[in-house]
Coordinates of all heavy atoms in Angstrom, one line a residue:
M1067 N 49.8 72.7 -66.3 CA 51.0 73.0 -65.5 C 51.0 74.5 -65.3 O 51.3 75.2 -66.3 CB 52.3 72.5 -66.2 CG 53.5 72.9 -65.4 SD 55.0 72.0 -66.0 CE 55.0 72.5 -67.8
A1068 N 50.7 74.9 -64.2 CA 50.7 76.4 -63.9 C 52.0 76.7 -63.1 O 52.2 76.3 -62.0 CB 49.5 76.8 -63.1
A1069 N 52.9 77.5 -63.7 CA 54.1 77.9 -63.1 C 53.9 79.0 -62.1 O 54.5 79.1 -61.0 CB 55.1 78.3 -64.2
T1070 N 53.0 79.9 -62.4 CA 52.7 81.0 -61.6 C 51.2 81.2 -61.4 O 50.4 80.9 -62.3 CB 53.2 82.4 -62.1 OG1 52.7 82.6 -63.3 CG2 54.7 82.3 -62.2
T1071 N 50.8 81.6 -60.2 CA 49.3 81.8 -60.0 C 49.2 83.2 -59.2 O 50.1 83.6 -58.6 CB 48.8 80.7 -59.1 OG1 49.4 80.6 -57.8 CG2 48.8 79.3 -59.8
S1072 N 48.1 83.7 -59.2 CA 47.8 85.0 -58.6 C 47.7 84.9 -57.2 O 48.1 85.8 -56.4 CB 46.6 85.7 -59.1 OG 45.5 84.8 -58.9
D1073 N 47.4 83.7 -56.6 CA 47.3 83.5 -55.2 C 48.3 82.5 -54.7 O 48.0 81.5 -54.0 CB 45.9 83.1 -54.8 CG 45.3 81.9 -55.5 OD1 46.0 81.5 -56.5 OD2 44.3 81.4 -55.1
G1074 N 49.6 82.6 -55.2 CA 50.6 81.6 -54.9 C 50.9 81.4 -53.4 O 51.1 80.4 -52.9
H1075 N 50.8 82.4 -52.6 CA 50.9 82.4 -51.1 C 49.9 81.6 -50.4 O 50.2 80.9 -49.5 CB 51.0 83.8 -50.5 CG 52.1 84.6 -51.0 ND1 53.4 84.3 -50.8 CD2 52.2 85.8 -51.8 CE1 54.3 85.2 -51.4 NE2 53.5 86.1 -52.0
V1076 N 48.7 81.6 -50.9 CA 47.6 80.9 -50.3 C 47.8 79.4 -50.7 O 47.7 78.5 -49.8 CB 46.3 81.2 -50.9 CG1 45.1 80.4 -50.4 CG2 45.9 82.8 -50.5
L1077 N 48.2 79.0 -51.8 CA 48.6 77.7 -52.2 C 49.7 77.1 -51.4 O 49.7 76.0 -50.9 CB 48.8 77.5 -53.7 CG 47.5 77.8 -54.6 CD1 48.0 77.7 -56.0 CD2 46.5 76.9 -54.3
L1078 N 50.7 78.0 -51.2 CA 51.9 77.5 -50.5 C 51.5 77.3 -48.9 O 52.0 76.3 -48.3 CB 53.0 78.7 -50.5 CG 54.3 78.3 -49.7 CD1 54.9 77.1 -50.3 CD2 55.2 79.5 -49.8
F1079 N 50.7 78.2 -48.4 CA 50.2 78.0 -47.0 C 49.4 76.7 -46.9 O 49.5 76.0 -46.0 CB 49.3 79.2 -46.6 CG 48.6 78.9 -45.3 CD1 49.4 79.0 -44.1 CD2 47.3 78.6 -45.2 CE1 48.8 78.7 -42.9 CE2 46.6 78.4 -44.0 CZ 47.4 78.5 -42.9
K1080 N 48.5 76.4 -47.8 CA 47.7 75.1 -47.7 C 48.6 74.0 -47.8 O 48.5 73.0 -47.1 CB 46.7 75.2 -48.9 CG 45.6 76.0 -48.7 CD 44.5 75.9 -49.7 CE 43.4 76.8 -49.5 NZ 42.4 76.8 -50.6
K1081 N 49.6 74.0 -48.7 CA 50.5 72.8 -48.7 C 51.4 72.6 -47.6 O 51.4 71.5 -46.9 CB 51.4 73.0 -50.0 CG 52.3 71.6 -50.3 CD 53.3 71.9 -51.3 CE 52.7 71.7 -52.7 NZ 53.6 71.7 -53.8
L1082 N 52.1 73.7 -47.1 CA 53.0 73.5 -46.0 C 52.2 73.5 -44.7 O 52.5 72.7 -43.9 CB 53.9 74.8 -46.0 CG 54.9 74.9 -47.0 CD1 55.8 76.2 -46.8 CD2 55.9 73.7 -46.9
G1083 N 51.1 74.2 -44.6 CA 50.3 74.1 -43.4 C 49.6 72.7 -43.3 O 49.6 72.1 -42.1
G1084 N 49.2 72.0 -44.4 CA 48.7 70.7 -44.4 C 49.7 69.7 -43.9 O 49.5 68.8 -43.1
L1085 N 51.0 69.9 -44.4 CA 52.0 68.9 -44.1 C 52.5 69.1 -42.7 O 52.6 68.1 -41.9 CB 53.2 69.1 -45.0 CG 53.0 68.6 -46.4 CD1 54.2 69.0 -47.3 CD2 52.7 67.2 -46.6
I1086 N 52.6 70.3 -42.2 CA 53.0 70.5 -40.7 C 51.8 70.1 -39.8 O 52.1 69.5 -38.8 CB 53.2 72.0 -40.6 CG1 54.5 72.4 -41.3 CG2 53.4 72.4 -39.0 CD1 54.8 73.9 -41.4
A1087 N 50.6 70.3 -40.2 CA 49.4 69.8 -39.4 C 49.6 68.3 -39.3 O 49.2 67.8 -38.2 CB 48.1 70.4 -39.9
I1088 N 49.7 67.7 -40.4 CA 49.7 66.2 -40.4 C 50.9 65.7 -39.5 O 50.7 64.7 -38.7 CB 49.9 65.6 -41.8 CG1 48.5 65.8 -42.5 CG2 50.2 64.2 -41.8 CD1 48.4 65.4 -44.0
L1089 N 52.0 66.3 -39.6 CA 53.2 65.9 -38.8 C 53.0 66.1 -37.4 O 53.2 65.1 -36.6 CB 54.5 66.7 -39.2 CG 55.7 66.4 -38.4 CD1 56.2 65.2 -38.8 CD2 56.7 67.6 -38.8
F1090 N 52.4 67.2 -37.0 CA 52.2 67.5 -35.5 C 51.0 66.5 -35.0 O 51.0 66.2 -33.9 CB 51.9 68.9 -35.2 CG 53.1 69.8 -35.2 CD1 53.3 70.8 -35.9 CD2 54.2 69.4 -34.3 CE1 54.5 71.7 -35.9 CE2 55.4 70.2 -34.3 CZ 55.6 71.3 -35.0
G1091 N 50.0 66.3 -35.9 CA 48.9 65.5 -35.6 C 49.5 64.1 -35.3 O 49.0 63.5 -34.4
C1092 N 50.3 63.6 -36.1 CA 50.8 62.2 -35.8 C 51.7 62.2 -34.5 O 51.5 61.3 -33.8 CB 51.8 61.8 -37.0 SG 50.9 61.4 -38.5
L1093 N 52.5 63.2 -34.3 CA 53.2 63.2 -33.0 C 52.4 63.2 -31.9 O 52.5 62.6 -30.8 CB 54.2 64.5 -33.1 CG 55.4 64.3 -34.1 CD1 56.2 65.6 -34.1 CD2 56.2 63.1 -33.7
L1094 N 51.4 64.2 -31.9 CA 50.5 64.4 -30.7 C 49.6 63.1 -30.5 O 49.4 62.7 -29.3 CB 49.6 65.5 -30.9 CG 50.3 66.9 -30.6 CD1 49.3 68.0 -31.0 CD2 50.7 67.0 -29.2
T1095 N 49.3 62.5 -31.6 CA 48.5 61.2 -31.4 C 49.3 60.2 -30.8 O 48.9 59.4 -29.9 CB 47.8 60.8 -32.8 OG1 47.1 61.8 -33.3 CG2 47.0 59.6 -32.7
A1096 N 50.5 60.0 -31.2 CA 51.4 59.0 -30.7 C 51.7 59.3 -29.3 O 51.7 58.3 -28.4 CB 52.7 58.9 -31.5
V1097 N 51.9 60.6 -28.8 CA 52.2 60.8 -27.5 C 51.0 60.6 -26.6 O 51.1 60.0 -25.5 CB 52.7 62.4 -27.3 CG1 52.6 62.8 -25.9 CG2 54.0 62.5 -28.0
G1098 N 49.8 60.9 -27.2 CA 48.6 60.7 -26.5 C 48.3 59.3 -26.1 O 47.9 58.9 -25.0
V1099 N 48.6 58.5 -27.2 CA 48.3 57.0 -27.0 C 49.4 56.4 -25.9 O 49.1 55.6 -25.1 CB 48.6 56.3 -28.3 CG1 48.6 54.8 -28.2 CG2 47.3 56.6 -29.2
T1100 N 50.6 56.9 -26.0 CA 51.7 56.4 -25.1 C 51.3 56.8 -23.7 O 51.5 55.8 -22.9 CB 53.0 57.1 -25.5 OG1 53.4 56.7 -26.8 CG2 54.1 56.6 -24.5
F1101 N 50.9 58.0 -23.4 CA 50.6 58.4 -22.1 C 49.1 58.4 -21.7 O 48.7 58.8 -20.6 CB 51.1 59.8 -21.9 CG 52.6 59.9 -22.0 CD1 53.2 60.7 -23.0 CD2 53.4 59.4 -21.0 CE1 54.5 60.8 -23.0 CE2 54.8 59.4 -21.0 CZ 55.4 60.2 -22.1
E1102 N 48.3 57.7 -22.6 CA 46.8 57.5 -22.4 C 46.1 58.7 -22.0 O 45.4 58.9 -21.2 CB 46.7 56.4 -21.3 CG 47.2 55.0 -21.6 CD 47.1 54.0 -20.5 OE1 46.6 54.4 -19.4 OE2 47.5 52.9 -20.7
S1103 N 46.4 59.8 -22.8 CA 45.8 61.1 -22.6 C 44.8 61.4 -23.8 O 45.2 61.6 -24.9 CB 46.9 62.2 -22.7 OG 46.4 63.4 -22.7
T1104 N 43.6 61.4 -23.4 CA 42.5 61.4 -24.3 C 42.5 62.8 -25.0 O 42.3 63.0 -26.2 CB 41.1 61.3 -23.7 OG1 41.1 60.0 -23.0 CG2 40.0 61.3 -24.7
G1105 N 42.8 63.9 -24.2 CA 42.8 65.2 -24.8 C 43.9 65.4 -25.9 O 43.7 66.0 -27.0
T1106 N 45.1 64.8 -25.7 CA 46.2 64.8 -26.6 C 45.8 64.1 -27.9 O 46.1 64.5 -28.9 CB 47.5 64.4 -26.0 OG1 47.7 65.1 -24.7 CG2 48.6 64.6 -26.9
I1107 N 45.3 62.9 -27.7 CA 44.8 62.1 -28.8 C 43.8 62.9 -29.7 O 43.8 62.9 -30.9 CB 44.2 60.8 -28.4 CG1 45.2 59.9 -27.6 CG2 43.6 60.1 -29.6 CD1 44.7 58.7 -27.1
V1108 N 42.8 63.5 -29.0 CA 41.8 64.3 -29.8 C 42.4 65.4 -30.6 O 42.1 65.6 -31.7 CB 40.7 64.8 -28.8 CG1 39.7 65.8 -29.5 CG2 39.8 63.6 -28.3
I1109 N 43.3 66.1 -30.0 CA 44.0 67.3 -30.6 C 44.8 66.8 -31.8 O 44.8 67.4 -32.9 CB 44.8 68.1 -29.6 CG1 44.0 68.8 -28.6 CG2 45.7 69.1 -30.3 CD1 44.7 69.5 -27.5
G1110 N 45.5 65.7 -31.5 CA 46.3 65.0 -32.7 C 45.4 64.6 -33.8 O 45.8 64.9 -35.0
V1111 N 44.3 64.0 -33.6 CA 43.4 63.6 -34.6 C 42.8 64.8 -35.3 O 42.7 64.7 -36.5 CB 42.3 62.7 -34.1 CG1 41.3 62.3 -35.2 CG2 42.9 61.3 -33.6
L1112 N 42.5 65.8 -34.6 CA 41.9 67.0 -35.2 C 43.0 67.7 -36.2 O 42.7 68.2 -37.3 CB 41.5 68.0 -34.3 CG 40.2 67.6 -33.5 CD1 39.9 68.7 -32.4 CD2 39.1 67.5 -34.4
L1113 N 44.2 67.7 -35.7 CA 45.3 68.2 -36.6 C 45.6 67.4 -37.8 O 45.8 67.9 -38.9 CB 46.6 68.3 -35.7 CG 46.8 69.6 -34.9 CD1 48.0 69.5 -34.1 CD2 46.8 70.9 -35.7
L1114 N 45.4 66.1 -37.7 CA 45.5 65.2 -38.7 C 44.4 65.4 -39.8 O 44.7 65.5 -41.0 CB 45.4 63.7 -38.4 CG 46.7 63.1 -37.9 CD1 46.4 61.7 -37.2 CD2 47.7 63.0 -38.9
A1115 N 43.2 65.7 -39.3 CA 42.1 65.9 -40.1 C 42.3 67.3 -40.9 O 42.0 67.5 -42.0 CB 40.7 65.9 -39.4
L1116 N 42.7 68.3 -40.1 CA 43.0 69.7 -40.7 C 44.0 69.6 -41.8 O 43.8 70.3 -42.8 CB 43.3 70.6 -39.5 CG 43.7 72.0 -40.0 CD1 42.6 72.8 -40.5 CD2 44.5 72.7 -38.9
G1117 N 45.1 68.9 -41.5 CA 46.1 68.7 -42.5 C 45.6 68.0 -43.8 O 45.9 68.5 -44.9
A1118 N 44.8 67.1 -43.7 CA 44.2 66.3 -44.8 C 43.3 67.2 -45.6 O 43.4 67.3 -46.8 CB 43.5 65.1 -44.4
V1119 N 42.4 68.0 -44.8 CA 41.6 68.9 -45.6 C 42.4 70.0 -46.3 O 41.9 70.3 -47.4 CB 40.6 69.6 -44.5 CG1 39.8 70.8 -45.1 CG2 39.6 68.5 -44.1
L1120 N 43.4 70.6 -45.7 CA 44.1 71.5 -46.4 C 44.7 71.0 -47.7 O 44.8 71.7 -48.7 CB 45.2 72.2 -45.5 CG 44.7 73.1 -44.4 CD1 45.8 73.6 -43.5 CD2 44.1 74.3 -45.0
L1121 N 45.3 69.9 -47.6 CA 45.9 69.3 -48.7 C 44.8 69.0 -49.9 O 45.1 69.2 -51.0 CB 46.7 68.0 -48.5 CG 48.0 68.3 -47.7 CD1 48.7 66.9 -47.4 CD2 48.9 69.2 -48.5
V1122 N 43.7 68.5 -49.4 CA 42.6 68.1 -50.4 C 42.1 69.4 -51.1 O 42.0 69.4 -52.3 CB 41.5 67.4 -49.8 CG1 40.2 67.4 -50.6 CG2 41.9 66.0 -49.4
L1123 N 42.0 70.5 -50.3 CA 41.5 71.8 -50.9 C 42.6 72.3 -51.9 O 42.2 72.8 -53.0 CB 41.4 72.8 -49.8 CG 40.1 72.7 -48.9 CD1 40.1 73.6 -47.8 CD2 38.9 72.8 -49.7
K1124 N 43.8 72.2 -51.6 CA 44.9 72.6 -52.5 C 44.8 71.7 -53.8 O 44.8 72.3 -55.0 CB 46.2 72.4 -51.9 CG 47.3 73.0 -52.9 CD 48.7 72.3 -52.6 CE 49.7 72.6 -53.6 NZ 49.3 72.3 -55.0
I1125 N 44.6 70.5 -53.7 CA 44.5 69.6 -54.9 C 43.3 69.9 -55.8 O 43.3 70.0 -57.0 CB 44.6 68.1 -54.5 CG1 46.0 67.8 -53.9 CG2 44.3 67.2 -55.6 CD1 46.1 66.4 -53.3
V1126 N 42.1 70.1 -55.0 CA 40.9 70.4 -55.8 C 41.0 71.7 -56.5 O 40.6 71.8 -57.7 CB 39.7 70.4 -54.8 CG1 38.5 70.9 -55.5 CG2 39.4 69.0 -54.3
R1127 N 41.6 72.7 -55.9 CA 41.7 74.0 -56.5 C 42.6 73.9 -57.7 O 42.3 74.5 -58.8 CB 42.3 75.0 -55.5 CG 42.8 76.3 -56.2 CD 42.1 77.5 -55.5 NE 42.7 78.7 -56.1 CZ 41.8 79.6 -56.5 NH1 40.5 79.5 -56.4 NH2 42.3 80.6 -57.0
R1128 N 43.7 73.2 -57.6 CA 44.6 73.1 -58.8 C 44.0 72.3 -59.9 O 44.2 72.6 -61.1 CB 45.9 72.3 -58.3 CG 46.9 72.1 -59.4 CD 48.1 71.3 -58.9 NE 47.7 70.0 -58.5 CZ 48.5 69.2 -57.9 NH1 49.7 69.6 -57.6 NH2 48.1 68.0 -57.6
N1129 N 43.1 71.3 -59.6 CA 42.4 70.5 -60.7 C 41.3 71.3 -61.3 O 40.8 70.8 -62.3 CB 42.1 69.2 -60.2 CG 43.3 68.3 -60.0 OD1 44.3 68.5 -60.5 ND2 43.1 67.4 -59.1
Q1130 N 40.8 72.4 -60.9 CA 39.7 73.1 -61.4 C 40.1 73.9 -62.6 O 39.2 74.4 -63.4 CB 39.1 74.0 -60.3 CG 38.2 73.2 -59.4 CD 37.6 74.3 -58.4 OE1 37.9 75.4 -58.3 NE2 36.7 73.7 -57.6
E1131 N 41.3 74.2 -62.9 CA 41.7 75.0 -64.0 C 41.5 74.2 -65.2 O 41.8 73.0 -65.3 CB 43.2 75.4 -63.8 CG 43.4 76.2 -62.5 CD 45.0 76.6 -62.4 OE1 45.7 76.2 -63.3 OE2 45.3 77.2 -61.3
P1132 N 41.2 75.0 -66.3 CA 40.9 74.3 -67.6 C 42.3 73.8 -68.2 O 43.3 74.4 -67.9 CB 40.4 75.4 -68.4 CG 40.6 76.7 -67.8 CD 40.8 76.3 -66.4
P1133 N 42.3 72.8 -69.0 CA 43.6 72.3 -69.5 C 44.1 73.2 -70.5 O 43.3 73.9 -71.2 CB 43.1 70.9 -70.2 CG 41.7 71.0 -70.3 CD 41.2 71.9 -69.3
L1134 N 45.4 73.4 -70.6 CA 46.1 74.2 -71.6 C 46.3 73.4 -72.8 O 47.3 72.7 -73.0 CB 47.3 74.8 -71.0 CG 47.3 75.6 -69.8 CD1 48.7 75.9 -69.3 CD2 46.4 76.9 -70.1
I1135 N 45.4 73.5 -73.8 CA 45.6 72.7 -75.1 C 45.8 73.7 -76.2 O 45.2 74.7 -76.3 CB 44.3 71.9 -75.4 CG1 44.3 70.9 -74.3 CG2 44.4 71.3 -76.8 CD1 43.1 69.9 -74.4

């Protein structure tokens, strides 16, 4: 359990950025499917993938620290 980190702003950006990217990705994908717009669907799926990658990077970075025993 790390209460503070030296790069807290980067971790916060990855978490919030990932969640926001997933949210906008879902919205753009839904709008693209509704209006049958291939470009909007592609952008939405890319934002979904970007959000997932940012969250995975945050989780991997957090799990690399040695356990505090």
